[in-house]
Amino acid sequence: MLQKVRRMRRGFAIPLVVIFCGLMTFMVYYMTRTRLEAKRQNVTQFNALQAHYLAQGAIQHALLKFRVLPTEAYAATALARGLCPFHVAPPGSTPATGAGKTPDALTTFVEDCNFDAVPLQITGPEFAGWHCEIGSSEAITSFTSGTETVNVVEIEAVGIVPQFVKNPITGEWKSNQYTDKVGKTVQVRRSR
């Protein structure tokens, strides 16, 4: 009887060890897959943040230019609306736009806020392909407020960062470009 009990115990240990090894294998596999997916998501989010902040940098550059050169900014936005930059509209009115709308002045005004126009100190292969630019700038409306004439401008900037993705099956690296767009509305004012 004692031998029968010992045989039962020995026979019970083998399935227990097999089940334990199977569970551990499954757990290691699941942890590895989770880690790889988290790593892939972190890289994508990191590239998204880089592209976003590149676009924000172009917007900040344009806002600085609007602040430093207010007369030129007003003239460029007025021409984009079809207004004479020297005409002063009566208080409380909406300036009438003319037939001579030309976005070229506003485009030229914000054109040097692009990544290629400014010599930057970031060089090296890890920064190759980085780019930011003012994608579009449009004078939306004009109005008078008290003693000021106000032109409203909408600026859209684009940030581009290369994204390198490794194919887990083949092991080959593939290059994509991650793009983010940021918009900002600006009021350009001119006092009488």
Side-chain angles (χ1 to χ4, degrees):
M1 176 103 166
L2 189 58
Q3 286 180 347
K4 196 175 191 182
V5 171
R6 284 185 185 168
R7 284 185 196 162
M8 287 171 93
R9 284 186 192 167
R10 276 191 230 153
F12 186 70
I14 292 173
L16 187 64
V17 169
V18 169
I19 290 171
F20 178 76
C21 289
L23 288 175
M24 292 303 291
T25 303
F26 177 73
M27 191 173 79
V28 167
Y29 171 76
Y30 180 75
M31 287 174 48
T32 305
R33 288 286 303 240
T34 304
R35 184 184 172 282
L36 290 174
E37 185 61 32
K39 181 179 178 183
R40 189 175 13 252
Q41 287 177 356
N42 286 342
V43 168
T44 300
Q45 289 176 351
F46 184 67
N47 289 334
L49 281 175
Q50 287 176 329
H52 178 75
Y53 285 119
L54 273 174
Q56 284 285 355
I59 290 282
Q60 292 298 317
H61 191 177
L63 291 176
L64 176 67
K65 190 166 183 185
F66 276 105
R67 188 173 193 154
V68 170
L69 303 169
T71 306
E72 291 82 355
Y74 180 82
T77 57
L79 288 172
R81 289 278 304 145
L83 302 172
C84 176
F86 306 110
H87 175 70
V88 179
S93 68
T94 301
T97 60
K101 290 183 181 182
T102 174
D104 295 338
L106 185 57
T107 303
T108 303
F109 183 75
V110 295
E111 176 174 80
D112 66 345
C113 298
N114 298 344
F115 194 75
D116 300 333
V118 181
L120 299 175
Q121 297 299 323
I122 51 174
T123 58
E126 64 272 14
F127 299 111
W130 283 31
H131 184 74
C132 68
E133 65 181 16
I134 301 295
S136 67
S137 54
E138 180 183 359
I140 300 171
T141 187
S142 302
F143 62 90
T144 58
S145 172
T147 61
E148 295 180 316
T149 303
V150 181
N151 291 333
V152 180
V153 181
E154 188 176 75
I155 304 169
E156 186 178 83
V158 178
I160 300 170
V161 173
Q163 179 180 14
F164 298 100
V165 180
K166 185 176 183 180
N167 187 338
I169 297 171
T170 63
E172 295 178 1
W173 286 89
K174 181 179 167 188
S175 175
N176 296 334
Q177 286 189 335
Y178 193 87
T179 303
D180 193 19
K181 294 182 180 182
V182 176
K184 181 78 174 174
T185 303
V186 181
Q187 292 184 354
V188 181
R189 300 174 178 268
R190 184 184 80 174
S191 298
R192 294 176 197 217

